[in-house]
Amino acid sequence: SRRGLSERLSLLARPRAPLRRVALLLEVSGHAALLLPLLAVLFALQAGGPEARLLCLRLFAGQLFDLLLIGCLKAVFRRGRPGRNHAADMTATVAVDHYSFPSGHASKCGMMLCLLHFSACLRLPALLWLLAVPASRVLLGRHFPLDVACGFAIGCLEALLMWPYLPGLELSARLTGLLAAAIGRS
């Protein structure tokens, strides 16, 4: 059963289990409150050249689109979180909602995995992280497995739909120039 599998998986990261600390770290690392500023800083620092800045810009745009879409879907479905979800141990993250379906962490990871793949930038460490973050959501009891699987699939669909419309090198170069001009004036 759906609940049976979910409960068995969450036992792997029960309180005081070593795996719980890893799962909590993964939870924080996949939160939009960390990812959005990180992508903005990487873009602003002009790290890695024009292609890297373009990738940061595309991932940033994807994150914003994902936040909007997943927020709307959660408002429509309003599926509660599993009973074993302990909001008290969510101290390092911001619980923006109390709904489980679909998983926003998983959708972000699915979207980023596809965008990195389309950009020919997907590497093994990123792939492992993009798969581990959604798994941590089930291990921590934040979501049912179906919430995570659907969230990941929605993220992949987002990337497919967004890819043709995402900013190109010309917009990235213009934004970089505006940023440099703004910094030069201050």
Side-chain angles (χ1 to χ4, degrees):
S1 80
R2 176 181 52 132
R3 289 189 186 266
L5 172 64
S6 187
E7 288 171 11
R8 286 192 302 270
L9 289 172
S10 69
L11 286 175
L12 296 172
R14 65 189 176 282
R16 294 185 298 278
L19 187 55
R20 186 163 195 84
R21 288 188 179 144
V22 173
L24 287 167
L25 181 62
L26 287 166
E27 175 180 60
V28 170
S29 72
H31 201 282
L34 175 69
L35 292 174
L36 284 170
L38 178 65
L39 289 168
V41 166
L42 288 174
F43 181 85
L45 292 176
Q46 301 183 21
E51 291 82 15
R53 284 192 307 278
L54 176 62
L55 181 60
C56 286
L57 187 60
R58 287 176 168 174
L59 290 172
F60 189 87
Q63 293 288 319
L64 291 177
F65 180 72
D66 179 74
L67 279 173
L68 179 65
L69 179 63
I70 295 302
C72 290
L73 290 173
K74 285 186 177 208
V76 167
F77 289 103
R78 295 179 174 264
R79 179 179 181 179
R81 293 194 183 273
R84 68 200 161 283
N85 175 45
H86 302 288
D89 72 354
M90 293 178 75
T91 57
T93 61
V94 179
V96 294
D97 62 66
H98 302 287
Y99 302 119
S100 184
F101 182 85
S103 167
H105 279 73
S107 65
K108 279 182 225 20
C109 288
M111 182 264 305
M112 291 189 335
L113 185 141
C114 290
L115 290 180
L116 287 170
H117 172 71
F118 297 158
S119 301
C121 295
L122 186 61
R123 302 292 182 266
L124 184 60
L127 175 64
L128 294 176
W129 178 77
L130 291 167
L131 296 175
V133 168
S136 76
R137 308 304 288 156
V138 176
L139 292 174
L140 290 169
R142 309 281 194 242
H143 295 281
F144 296 105
L146 186 62
D147 302 334
V148 170
C150 287
F152 200 86
I154 289 168
C156 292
L157 281 171
E158 287 173 334
L160 287 169
L161 293 173
M162 288 185 308
W163 183 250
Y165 306 103
L166 286 172
L169 277 172
E170 62 285 341
L171 178 61
S172 177
R174 275 188 278 163
L175 288 174
T176 302
L178 290 173
L179 181 64
I183 291 172
R185 289 186 198 143
S186 51

